[in-house]
Amino acid sequence: MKTTYLLCQEEEEEDMGRGKIEIKRIENPTNKQVTFSKCRGVLLKKTHELAVLCDAKVALIIFSSTGKLFELTSSSKYATRKRERKKKIKMPSL
């Protein structure tokens, strides 16, 4: 019996690490804001990395739940267009 117990324990240790989480809407406003801020930062960083590493032209637009606009562009041509349209862009109705 002890051998079986040790094998089971070793198998559990191999599977340890980040567990899968269920993707569902966050109801708590504080937790929602914290998660949004963290994910937004990661997304902006990864978008920038993609543009630099792959010499890709990338544009990213994020609207928060409060309607605040976050954006990143990899080209000055797109940045100029973005500034021109910034006043015209309004958060779409959800």
Side-chain angles (χ1 to χ4, degrees):
M1 274 308 225
K2 288 184 180 179
T3 307
T4 305
Y5 172 73
L6 291 175
L7 288 175
C8 292
Q9 187 178 11
E10 289 174 2
E11 290 174 5
E12 288 176 9
E13 289 176 4
E14 290 175 1
D15 293 336
M16 292 183 74
R18 286 195 160 196
K20 292 184 179 181
I21 60 166
E22 181 184 349
I23 302 297
K24 61 181 179 179
R25 183 182 182 93
I26 300 171
E27 299 299 331
N28 183 320
T30 304
N31 292 348
K32 188 186 299 186
Q33 180 59 39
V34 169
T35 302
F36 176 79
S37 296
K38 287 180 180 181
C39 291
R40 182 192 69 222
V42 170
L43 189 57
L44 290 168
K45 181 179 177 183
K46 290 294 183 182
T47 303
H48 175 71
E49 288 175 3
L50 179 65
V52 172
L53 295 173
C54 301
D55 195 27
K57 293 181 181 174
V58 180
L60 174 67
I61 299 173
I62 304 171
F63 287 101
S64 72
S65 59
T66 60
K68 190 170 181 183
L69 174 66
F70 299 92
E71 52 198 338
L72 178 129
T73 57
S74 62
S75 170
S76 60
K77 180 172 89 173
Y78 294 109
T80 304
R81 287 183 190 168
K82 173 186 70 174
R83 275 186 252 119
E84 292 172 0
R85 294 183 181 193
K86 189 172 184 178
K87 294 179 183 176
K88 297 178 185 177
I89 294 177
K90 295 185 180 180
M91 176 146 173
S93 301
L94 299 179

Short mmCIF file of all heavy atoms in Angstrom, two decimals, residues 14-82:
data_model
loop_
_atom_site.label_atom_id
_atom_site.label_comp_id
_atom_site.label_asym_id
_atom_site.label_seq_id
_atom_site.Cartn_x
_atom_site.Cartn_y
_atom_site.Cartn_z
N GLU A 14 3.91 16.21 -10.15
CA GLU A 14 4.22 16.51 -11.54
C GLU A 14 3.18 17.44 -12.15
O GLU A 14 3.49 18.26 -13.00
CB GLU A 14 4.31 15.23 -12.35
CG GLU A 14 5.51 14.38 -12.02
CD GLU A 14 5.50 13.06 -12.78
OE1 GLU A 14 4.58 12.83 -13.57
OE2 GLU A 14 6.42 12.27 -12.57
N ASP A 15 1.94 17.31 -11.73
CA ASP A 15 0.86 18.10 -12.30
C ASP A 15 0.71 19.46 -11.62
O ASP A 15 -0.14 20.25 -12.01
CB ASP A 15 -0.47 17.34 -12.20
CG ASP A 15 -0.47 16.10 -13.10
OD1 ASP A 15 0.30 16.09 -14.07
OD2 ASP A 15 -1.22 15.16 -12.80
N MET A 16 1.52 19.72 -10.60
CA MET A 16 1.39 20.99 -9.91
C MET A 16 1.85 22.13 -10.80
O MET A 16 2.67 21.97 -11.67
CB MET A 16 2.17 20.99 -8.60
CG MET A 16 1.60 20.04 -7.57
SD MET A 16 2.45 20.12 -6.03
CE MET A 16 1.88 21.67 -5.40
N GLY A 17 1.34 23.29 -10.55
CA GLY A 17 1.63 24.47 -11.35
C GLY A 17 0.38 25.31 -11.40
O GLY A 17 -0.47 25.22 -10.53
N ARG A 18 0.28 26.12 -12.40
CA ARG A 18 -0.92 26.94 -12.53
C ARG A 18 -2.09 26.08 -12.94
O ARG A 18 -2.04 25.35 -13.91
CB ARG A 18 -0.71 28.03 -13.57
CG ARG A 18 0.19 29.12 -13.08
CD ARG A 18 0.06 30.28 -13.98
NE ARG A 18 0.53 31.44 -13.27
CZ ARG A 18 0.30 32.67 -13.63
NH1 ARG A 18 -0.38 32.90 -14.72
NH2 ARG A 18 0.74 33.68 -12.93
N GLY A 19 -3.15 26.21 -12.20
CA GLY A 19 -4.35 25.48 -12.52
C GLY A 19 -5.19 26.26 -13.52
O GLY A 19 -5.02 27.47 -13.67
N LYS A 20 -6.08 25.58 -14.18
CA LYS A 20 -6.98 26.25 -15.10
C LYS A 20 -8.05 26.97 -14.31
O LYS A 20 -8.52 26.47 -13.29
CB LYS A 20 -7.62 25.25 -16.06
CG LYS A 20 -6.63 24.63 -17.01
CD LYS A 20 -7.33 23.74 -17.99
CE LYS A 20 -6.33 23.14 -18.96
NZ LYS A 20 -6.97 22.27 -19.94
N ILE A 21 -8.42 28.16 -14.79
CA ILE A 21 -9.49 28.89 -14.13
C ILE A 21 -10.67 28.99 -15.07
O ILE A 21 -10.51 28.96 -16.29
CB ILE A 21 -9.04 30.31 -13.71
CG1 ILE A 21 -8.61 31.12 -14.93
CG2 ILE A 21 -7.95 30.25 -12.67
CD1 ILE A 21 -8.49 32.60 -14.66
N GLU A 22 -11.83 29.08 -14.49
CA GLU A 22 -13.03 29.24 -15.29
C GLU A 22 -13.16 30.71 -15.68
O GLU A 22 -13.05 31.60 -14.85
CB GLU A 22 -14.25 28.82 -14.47
CG GLU A 22 -15.55 28.92 -15.22
CD GLU A 22 -16.75 28.58 -14.36
OE1 GLU A 22 -16.56 28.07 -13.23
OE2 GLU A 22 -17.87 28.83 -14.81
N ILE A 23 -13.35 30.97 -16.96
CA ILE A 23 -13.51 32.34 -17.44
C ILE A 23 -14.98 32.71 -17.28
O ILE A 23 -15.87 32.13 -17.90
CB ILE A 23 -13.10 32.46 -18.93
CG1 ILE A 23 -11.65 32.02 -19.13
CG2 ILE A 23 -13.31 33.89 -19.42
CD1 ILE A 23 -10.63 32.85 -18.39
N LYS A 24 -15.22 33.68 -16.40
CA LYS A 24 -16.58 34.16 -16.17
C LYS A 24 -16.51 35.61 -15.74
O LYS A 24 -15.46 36.11 -15.34
CB LYS A 24 -17.30 33.32 -15.12
CG LYS A 24 -16.64 33.33 -13.75
CD LYS A 24 -17.40 32.48 -12.78
CE LYS A 24 -16.68 32.52 -11.43
NZ LYS A 24 -17.36 31.74 -10.43
N ARG A 25 -17.62 36.29 -15.85
CA ARG A 25 -17.71 37.71 -15.52
C ARG A 25 -17.38 37.93 -14.04
O ARG A 25 -17.85 37.20 -13.18
CB ARG A 25 -19.10 38.22 -15.83
CG ARG A 25 -19.27 39.68 -15.60
CD ARG A 25 -20.72 40.09 -15.90
NE ARG A 25 -20.89 41.49 -15.72
CZ ARG A 25 -20.78 42.39 -16.70
NH1 ARG A 25 -20.51 41.99 -17.91
NH2 ARG A 25 -20.94 43.66 -16.45
N ILE A 26 -16.59 38.96 -13.76
CA ILE A 26 -16.26 39.31 -12.38
C ILE A 26 -17.30 40.30 -11.89
O ILE A 26 -17.47 41.37 -12.48
CB ILE A 26 -14.84 39.92 -12.30
CG1 ILE A 26 -13.80 38.93 -12.81
CG2 ILE A 26 -14.52 40.36 -10.88
CD1 ILE A 26 -12.42 39.50 -12.98
N GLU A 27 -17.99 39.98 -10.83
CA GLU A 27 -19.07 40.82 -10.32
C GLU A 27 -18.57 41.90 -9.36
O GLU A 27 -19.10 43.00 -9.33
CB GLU A 27 -20.14 39.96 -9.63
CG GLU A 27 -20.80 38.95 -10.56
CD GLU A 27 -21.52 39.58 -11.74
OE1 GLU A 27 -22.01 40.72 -11.62
OE2 GLU A 27 -21.59 38.93 -12.79
N ASN A 28 -17.56 41.61 -8.59
CA ASN A 28 -17.03 42.57 -7.62
C ASN A 28 -16.32 43.71 -8.35
O ASN A 28 -15.34 43.47 -9.07
CB ASN A 28 -16.05 41.86 -6.67
CG ASN A 28 -15.50 42.75 -5.59
OD1 ASN A 28 -15.18 43.91 -5.83
ND2 ASN A 28 -15.39 42.20 -4.41
N PRO A 29 -16.76 44.96 -8.20
CA PRO A 29 -16.17 46.08 -8.95
C PRO A 29 -14.68 46.30 -8.68
O PRO A 29 -13.92 46.62 -9.59
CB PRO A 29 -16.97 47.30 -8.49
CG PRO A 29 -18.17 46.79 -7.81
CD PRO A 29 -17.89 45.38 -7.38
N THR A 30 -14.25 46.09 -7.44
CA THR A 30 -12.83 46.27 -7.12
C THR A 30 -11.99 45.21 -7.81
O THR A 30 -10.97 45.53 -8.43
CB THR A 30 -12.63 46.20 -5.59
OG1 THR A 30 -13.46 47.17 -4.96
CG2 THR A 30 -11.18 46.45 -5.22
N ASN A 31 -12.40 43.96 -7.70
CA ASN A 31 -11.67 42.87 -8.36
C ASN A 31 -11.68 43.05 -9.88
O ASN A 31 -10.68 42.76 -10.55
CB ASN A 31 -12.27 41.52 -8.00
CG ASN A 31 -12.06 41.16 -6.55
OD1 ASN A 31 -11.29 41.80 -5.84
ND2 ASN A 31 -12.76 40.14 -6.09
N LYS A 32 -12.81 43.52 -10.40
CA LYS A 32 -12.93 43.74 -11.84
C LYS A 32 -11.92 44.79 -12.30
O LYS A 32 -11.24 44.62 -13.32
CB LYS A 32 -14.34 44.18 -12.19
CG LYS A 32 -14.62 44.26 -13.67
CD LYS A 32 -15.99 44.83 -13.97
CE LYS A 32 -17.09 43.99 -13.41
NZ LYS A 32 -18.43 44.46 -13.81
N GLN A 33 -11.79 45.88 -11.56
CA GLN A 33 -10.86 46.96 -11.93
C GLN A 33 -9.41 46.49 -11.84
O GLN A 33 -8.59 46.79 -12.72
CB GLN A 33 -11.07 48.19 -11.04
CG GLN A 33 -10.16 49.34 -11.37
CD GLN A 33 -10.30 49.83 -12.80
OE1 GLN A 33 -11.39 49.89 -13.33
NE2 GLN A 33 -9.19 50.18 -13.43
N VAL A 34 -9.08 45.76 -10.80
CA VAL A 34 -7.71 45.25 -10.64
C VAL A 34 -7.37 44.31 -11.79
O VAL A 34 -6.30 44.42 -12.40
CB VAL A 34 -7.55 44.53 -9.28
CG1 VAL A 34 -6.24 43.77 -9.21
CG2 VAL A 34 -7.64 45.53 -8.14
N THR A 35 -8.27 43.40 -12.12
CA THR A 35 -8.04 42.46 -13.21
C THR A 35 -7.91 43.19 -14.54
O THR A 35 -7.02 42.89 -15.35
CB THR A 35 -9.19 41.43 -13.28
OG1 THR A 35 -9.27 40.75 -12.03
CG2 THR A 35 -8.96 40.43 -14.39
N PHE A 36 -8.77 44.19 -14.76
CA PHE A 36 -8.70 44.97 -16.00
C PHE A 36 -7.35 45.66 -16.11
O PHE A 36 -6.71 45.62 -17.17
CB PHE A 36 -9.83 46.01 -16.04
CG PHE A 36 -9.75 46.92 -17.24
CD1 PHE A 36 -10.18 46.50 -18.48
CD2 PHE A 36 -9.22 48.20 -17.12
CE1 PHE A 36 -10.09 47.33 -19.59
CE2 PHE A 36 -9.13 49.03 -18.22
CZ PHE A 36 -9.57 48.60 -19.45
N SER A 37 -6.90 46.28 -15.04
CA SER A 37 -5.62 47.00 -15.07
C SER A 37 -4.46 46.07 -15.36
O SER A 37 -3.58 46.38 -16.17
CB SER A 37 -5.38 47.72 -13.75
OG SER A 37 -6.35 48.71 -13.55
N LYS A 38 -4.44 44.91 -14.71
CA LYS A 38 -3.36 43.95 -14.94
C LYS A 38 -3.37 43.42 -16.36
O LYS A 38 -2.34 43.38 -17.04
CB LYS A 38 -3.47 42.78 -13.96
CG LYS A 38 -3.09 43.13 -12.55
CD LYS A 38 -3.23 41.91 -11.66
CE LYS A 38 -2.85 42.21 -10.23
NZ LYS A 38 -2.97 41.03 -9.37
N CYS A 39 -4.54 43.01 -16.83
CA CYS A 39 -4.64 42.45 -18.18
C CYS A 39 -4.36 43.50 -19.24
O CYS A 39 -3.73 43.21 -20.26
CB CYS A 39 -6.03 41.85 -18.40
SG CYS A 39 -6.32 40.36 -17.44
N ARG A 40 -4.80 44.73 -19.02
CA ARG A 40 -4.54 45.81 -19.96
C ARG A 40 -3.04 46.04 -20.09
O ARG A 40 -2.50 46.14 -21.19
CB ARG A 40 -5.23 47.10 -19.50
CG ARG A 40 -5.03 48.25 -20.47
CD ARG A 40 -5.46 49.57 -19.88
NE ARG A 40 -4.55 49.94 -18.82
CZ ARG A 40 -4.92 50.45 -17.65
NH1 ARG A 40 -6.18 50.65 -17.37
NH2 ARG A 40 -4.02 50.75 -16.75
N GLY A 41 -2.34 46.06 -18.97
CA GLY A 41 -0.89 46.25 -18.99
C GLY A 41 -0.18 45.15 -19.76
O GLY A 41 0.72 45.42 -20.56
N VAL A 42 -0.58 43.92 -19.51
CA VAL A 42 0.03 42.78 -20.20
C VAL A 42 -0.26 42.85 -21.70
O VAL A 42 0.61 42.63 -22.53
CB VAL A 42 -0.48 41.44 -19.60
CG1 VAL A 42 -0.05 40.27 -20.46
CG2 VAL A 42 0.02 41.28 -18.18
N LEU A 43 -1.49 43.18 -22.04
CA LEU A 43 -1.88 43.26 -23.44
C LEU A 43 -1.12 44.37 -24.17
O LEU A 43 -0.64 44.17 -25.29
CB LEU A 43 -3.39 43.49 -23.55
CG LEU A 43 -4.00 43.40 -24.93
CD1 LEU A 43 -3.72 42.05 -25.57
CD2 LEU A 43 -5.50 43.62 -24.84
N LEU A 44 -0.97 45.53 -23.53
CA LEU A 44 -0.20 46.62 -24.13
C LEU A 44 1.26 46.22 -24.31
O LEU A 44 1.87 46.49 -25.35
CB LEU A 44 -0.30 47.88 -23.26
CG LEU A 44 -1.67 48.57 -23.26
CD1 LEU A 44 -1.73 49.61 -22.15
CD2 LEU A 44 -1.96 49.21 -24.60
N LYS A 45 1.84 45.56 -23.32
CA LYS A 45 3.23 45.13 -23.39
C LYS A 45 3.43 44.11 -24.52
O LYS A 45 4.36 44.22 -25.32
CB LYS A 45 3.66 44.51 -22.06
CG LYS A 45 5.10 44.06 -22.04
CD LYS A 45 5.49 43.49 -20.70
CE LYS A 45 6.92 42.99 -20.73
NZ LYS A 45 7.31 42.37 -19.46
N LYS A 46 2.54 43.13 -24.60
CA LYS A 46 2.66 42.11 -25.64
C LYS A 46 2.46 42.70 -27.04
O LYS A 46 3.12 42.30 -27.99
CB LYS A 46 1.65 40.98 -25.41
CG LYS A 46 1.97 40.13 -24.21
CD LYS A 46 3.25 39.36 -24.42
CE LYS A 46 3.54 38.44 -23.26
NZ LYS A 46 4.82 37.73 -23.43
N THR A 47 1.56 43.66 -27.15
CA THR A 47 1.34 44.32 -28.43
C THR A 47 2.60 45.07 -28.87
O THR A 47 3.02 45.00 -30.03
CB THR A 47 0.14 45.29 -28.34
OG1 THR A 47 -1.00 44.56 -27.92
CG2 THR A 47 -0.15 45.94 -29.67
N HIS A 48 3.20 45.78 -27.93
CA HIS A 48 4.44 46.51 -28.23
C HIS A 48 5.56 45.53 -28.62
O HIS A 48 6.30 45.78 -29.59
CB HIS A 48 4.87 47.34 -27.02
CG HIS A 48 6.17 48.02 -27.19
ND1 HIS A 48 6.34 49.10 -28.05
CD2 HIS A 48 7.39 47.79 -26.64
CE1 HIS A 48 7.61 49.49 -28.00
NE2 HIS A 48 8.26 48.70 -27.16
N GLU A 49 5.69 44.44 -27.89
CA GLU A 49 6.71 43.43 -28.20
C GLU A 49 6.52 42.86 -29.60
O GLU A 49 7.48 42.69 -30.34
CB GLU A 49 6.68 42.30 -27.17
CG GLU A 49 7.20 42.69 -25.82
CD GLU A 49 7.06 41.58 -24.80
OE1 GLU A 49 6.60 40.46 -25.14
OE2 GLU A 49 7.40 41.82 -23.63
N LEU A 50 5.29 42.57 -29.96
CA LEU A 50 4.99 42.04 -31.29
C LEU A 50 5.42 43.03 -32.36
O LEU A 50 6.04 42.65 -33.36
CB LEU A 50 3.50 41.73 -31.41
CG LEU A 50 3.02 41.20 -32.75
CD1 LEU A 50 3.64 39.84 -33.04
CD2 LEU A 50 1.51 41.11 -32.78
N ALA A 51 5.11 44.30 -32.15
CA ALA A 51 5.48 45.33 -33.13
C ALA A 51 6.99 45.45 -33.28
O ALA A 51 7.51 45.54 -34.39
CB ALA A 51 4.88 46.67 -32.72
N VAL A 52 7.71 45.42 -32.16
CA VAL A 52 9.17 45.59 -32.20
C VAL A 52 9.85 44.34 -32.75
O VAL A 52 10.69 44.42 -33.66
CB VAL A 52 9.71 45.92 -30.79
CG1 VAL A 52 11.23 45.90 -30.78
CG2 VAL A 52 9.20 47.29 -30.35
N LEU A 53 9.52 43.18 -32.22
CA LEU A 53 10.20 41.95 -32.60
C LEU A 53 9.93 41.53 -34.04
O LEU A 53 10.82 41.04 -34.72
CB LEU A 53 9.81 40.81 -31.66
CG LEU A 53 10.25 40.96 -30.20
CD1 LEU A 53 9.64 39.83 -29.37
CD2 LEU A 53 11.76 40.95 -30.09
N CYS A 54 8.72 41.73 -34.49
CA CYS A 54 8.33 41.25 -35.83
C CYS A 54 8.22 42.37 -36.85
O CYS A 54 7.81 42.14 -37.98
CB CYS A 54 7.00 40.51 -35.74
SG CYS A 54 7.06 39.10 -34.64
N ASP A 55 8.56 43.58 -36.45
CA ASP A 55 8.46 44.74 -37.33
C ASP A 55 7.06 44.82 -37.94
O ASP A 55 6.89 45.03 -39.13
CB ASP A 55 9.54 44.69 -38.41
CG ASP A 55 9.72 46.02 -39.10
OD1 ASP A 55 9.44 47.06 -38.46
OD2 ASP A 55 10.11 46.04 -40.28
N ALA A 56 6.07 44.61 -37.09
CA ALA A 56 4.67 44.61 -37.53
C ALA A 56 4.04 45.95 -37.22
O ALA A 56 4.42 46.63 -36.27
CB ALA A 56 3.90 43.50 -36.83
N LYS A 57 3.08 46.34 -38.04
CA LYS A 57 2.30 47.53 -37.76
C LYS A 57 1.08 47.09 -36.96
O LYS A 57 0.26 46.32 -37.45
CB LYS A 57 1.89 48.23 -39.05
CG LYS A 57 3.09 48.79 -39.78
CD LYS A 57 2.69 49.49 -41.05
CE LYS A 57 3.95 50.00 -41.74
NZ LYS A 57 3.65 50.55 -43.05
N VAL A 58 1.00 47.57 -35.74
CA VAL A 58 -0.03 47.10 -34.82
C VAL A 58 -0.78 48.29 -34.24
O VAL A 58 -0.18 49.31 -33.90
CB VAL A 58 0.61 46.30 -33.66
CG1 VAL A 58 -0.45 45.80 -32.70
CG2 VAL A 58 1.44 45.15 -34.20
N ALA A 59 -2.09 48.16 -34.13
CA ALA A 59 -2.91 49.15 -33.46
C ALA A 59 -3.81 48.41 -32.47
O ALA A 59 -4.40 47.39 -32.80
CB ALA A 59 -3.76 49.92 -34.46
N LEU A 60 -3.90 48.94 -31.26
CA LEU A 60 -4.71 48.32 -30.22
C LEU A 60 -5.58 49.40 -29.60
O LEU A 60 -5.10 50.47 -29.23
CB LEU A 60 -3.81 47.70 -29.14
CG LEU A 60 -4.49 47.13 -27.91
CD1 LEU A 60 -5.33 45.90 -28.28
CD2 LEU A 60 -3.47 46.78 -26.86
N ILE A 61 -6.87 49.16 -29.53
CA ILE A 61 -7.82 50.09 -28.91
C ILE A 61 -8.59 49.32 -27.85
O ILE A 61 -9.15 48.25 -28.12
CB ILE A 61 -8.80 50.66 -29.95
CG1 ILE A 61 -8.04 51.42 -31.02
CG2 ILE A 61 -9.82 51.56 -29.27
CD1 ILE A 61 -8.91 51.87 -32.18
N ILE A 62 -8.61 49.86 -26.63
CA ILE A 62 -9.33 49.24 -25.52
C ILE A 62 -10.25 50.28 -24.90
O ILE A 62 -9.82 51.39 -24.60
CB ILE A 62 -8.36 48.72 -24.43
CG1 ILE A 62 -7.34 47.75 -25.01
CG2 ILE A 62 -9.14 48.07 -23.29
CD1 ILE A 62 -6.23 47.39 -24.05
N PHE A 63 -11.51 49.93 -24.71
CA PHE A 63 -12.45 50.78 -23.98
C PHE A 63 -12.72 50.11 -22.64
O PHE A 63 -13.10 48.93 -22.60
CB PHE A 63 -13.78 50.92 -24.74
CG PHE A 63 -13.70 51.79 -25.94
CD1 PHE A 63 -13.60 51.24 -27.21
CD2 PHE A 63 -13.73 53.16 -25.82
CE1 PHE A 63 -13.53 52.05 -28.34
CE2 PHE A 63 -13.67 53.99 -26.93
CZ PHE A 63 -13.57 53.43 -28.20
N SER A 64 -12.54 50.84 -21.55
CA SER A 64 -12.86 50.29 -20.23
C SER A 64 -14.37 50.29 -20.04
O SER A 64 -15.11 50.87 -20.83
CB SER A 64 -12.19 51.13 -19.13
OG SER A 64 -12.84 52.38 -19.02
N SER A 65 -14.82 49.68 -18.97
CA SER A 65 -16.26 49.64 -18.69
C SER A 65 -16.81 51.02 -18.37
O SER A 65 -18.01 51.26 -18.48
CB SER A 65 -16.55 48.67 -17.54
OG SER A 65 -15.86 49.10 -16.38
N THR A 66 -15.93 51.95 -18.01
CA THR A 66 -16.37 53.32 -17.73
C THR A 66 -16.29 54.20 -18.98
O THR A 66 -16.63 55.37 -18.92
CB THR A 66 -15.51 53.96 -16.63
OG1 THR A 66 -14.14 53.98 -17.06
CG2 THR A 66 -15.64 53.19 -15.33
N GLY A 67 -15.80 53.64 -20.08
CA GLY A 67 -15.74 54.39 -21.34
C GLY A 67 -14.40 55.03 -21.61
O GLY A 67 -14.24 55.74 -22.60
N LYS A 68 -13.42 54.81 -20.75
CA LYS A 68 -12.10 55.40 -20.96
C LYS A 68 -11.37 54.64 -22.08
O LYS A 68 -11.43 53.43 -22.17
CB LYS A 68 -11.28 55.35 -19.68
CG LYS A 68 -10.00 56.13 -19.75
CD LYS A 68 -9.34 56.26 -18.40
CE LYS A 68 -8.08 57.08 -18.53
NZ LYS A 68 -7.36 57.17 -17.26
N LEU A 69 -10.69 55.41 -22.92
CA LEU A 69 -10.02 54.86 -24.09
C LEU A 69 -8.54 54.64 -23.80
O LEU A 69 -7.85 55.52 -23.29
CB LEU A 69 -10.17 55.83 -25.27
CG LEU A 69 -9.41 55.52 -26.55
CD1 LEU A 69 -9.94 54.24 -27.19
CD2 LEU A 69 -9.53 56.69 -27.52
N PHE A 70 -8.03 53.46 -24.12
CA PHE A 70 -6.61 53.13 -24.04
C PHE A 70 -6.19 52.67 -25.42
O PHE A 70 -6.88 51.86 -26.05
CB PHE A 70 -6.37 52.01 -23.02
CG PHE A 70 -6.79 52.36 -21.63
CD1 PHE A 70 -8.06 52.05 -21.19
CD2 PHE A 70 -5.93 53.02 -20.77
CE1 PHE A 70 -8.48 52.38 -19.91
CE2 PHE A 70 -6.33 53.35 -19.49
CZ PHE A 70 -7.60 53.03 -19.05
N GLU A 71 -5.07 53.17 -25.90
CA GLU A 71 -4.66 52.83 -27.27
C GLU A 71 -3.15 52.75 -27.39
O GLU A 71 -2.41 53.36 -26.62
CB GLU A 71 -5.22 53.86 -28.24
CG GLU A 71 -4.90 55.27 -27.85
CD GLU A 71 -5.80 56.26 -28.56
OE1 GLU A 71 -6.36 55.94 -29.62
OE2 GLU A 71 -5.93 57.37 -28.04
N LEU A 72 -2.72 51.97 -28.37
CA LEU A 72 -1.31 51.83 -28.68
C LEU A 72 -1.19 51.63 -30.18
O LEU A 72 -1.95 50.86 -30.77
CB LEU A 72 -0.73 50.61 -27.96
CG LEU A 72 0.75 50.35 -28.25
CD1 LEU A 72 1.50 50.20 -26.95
CD2 LEU A 72 0.91 49.13 -29.10
N THR A 73 -0.29 52.36 -30.81
CA THR A 73 -0.02 52.17 -32.23
C THR A 73 1.48 52.05 -32.42
O THR A 73 2.26 52.64 -31.69
CB THR A 73 -0.54 53.33 -33.10
OG1 THR A 73 0.05 54.55 -32.63
CG2 THR A 73 -2.05 53.45 -33.01
N SER A 74 1.87 51.30 -33.42
CA SER A 74 3.29 51.07 -33.65
C SER A 74 3.86 51.98 -34.74
O SER A 74 5.04 51.94 -35.00
CB SER A 74 3.52 49.61 -34.05
OG SER A 74 2.84 49.34 -35.26
N SER A 75 3.03 52.77 -35.37
CA SER A 75 3.50 53.60 -36.47
C SER A 75 3.03 55.03 -36.27
O SER A 75 1.90 55.28 -35.86
CB SER A 75 2.96 53.07 -37.79
OG SER A 75 3.22 53.98 -38.83
N SER A 76 3.89 56.00 -36.57
CA SER A 76 3.50 57.40 -36.39
C SER A 76 2.37 57.78 -37.35
O SER A 76 1.57 58.65 -37.07
CB SER A 76 4.71 58.31 -36.61
OG SER A 76 5.21 58.15 -37.91
N LYS A 77 2.31 57.10 -38.50
CA LYS A 77 1.23 57.36 -39.45
C LYS A 77 -0.12 57.05 -38.81
O LYS A 77 -1.06 57.83 -38.90
CB LYS A 77 1.43 56.50 -40.70
CG LYS A 77 0.36 56.69 -41.76
CD LYS A 77 0.74 55.97 -43.04
CE LYS A 77 0.24 54.57 -43.04
NZ LYS A 77 0.43 53.87 -44.31
N TYR A 78 -0.18 55.92 -38.12
CA TYR A 78 -1.42 55.54 -37.44
C TYR A 78 -1.67 56.45 -36.24
O TYR A 78 -2.80 56.77 -35.93
CB TYR A 78 -1.38 54.08 -37.01
CG TYR A 78 -1.36 53.13 -38.19
CD1 TYR A 78 -0.23 52.42 -38.51
CD2 TYR A 78 -2.49 52.98 -38.97
CE1 TYR A 78 -0.22 51.56 -39.60
CE2 TYR A 78 -2.49 52.12 -40.07
CZ TYR A 78 -1.34 51.42 -40.36
OH TYR A 78 -1.33 50.57 -41.44
N ALA A 79 -0.61 56.86 -35.56
CA ALA A 79 -0.77 57.73 -34.40
C ALA A 79 -1.37 59.07 -34.81
O ALA A 79 -2.20 59.63 -34.09
CB ALA A 79 0.58 57.94 -33.71
N THR A 80 -0.97 59.60 -35.96
CA THR A 80 -1.52 60.86 -36.44
C THR A 80 -3.00 60.72 -36.74
O THR A 80 -3.80 61.54 -36.32
CB THR A 80 -0.78 61.31 -37.72
OG1 THR A 80 0.61 61.39 -37.43
CG2 THR A 80 -1.28 62.65 -38.20
N ARG A 81 -3.38 59.65 -37.41
CA ARG A 81 -4.79 59.40 -37.69
C ARG A 81 -5.57 59.24 -36.39
O ARG A 81 -6.68 59.72 -36.25
CB ARG A 81 -4.96 58.14 -38.54
CG ARG A 81 -4.54 58.31 -39.95
CD ARG A 81 -4.83 57.03 -40.70
NE ARG A 81 -4.22 57.07 -42.01
CZ ARG A 81 -4.11 56.01 -42.78
NH1 ARG A 81 -4.54 54.84 -42.38
NH2 ARG A 81 -3.54 56.10 -43.97
N LYS A 82 -4.95 58.55 -35.45
CA LYS A 82 -5.58 58.29 -34.17
C LYS A 82 -5.89 59.61 -33.46
O LYS A 82 -6.99 59.82 -32.96
CB LYS A 82 -4.67 57.43 -33.31
CG LYS A 82 -5.13 57.21 -31.90
CD LYS A 82 -4.08 56.48 -31.10
CE LYS A 82 -2.91 57.40 -30.87
NZ LYS A 82 -1.89 56.87 -30.00
#
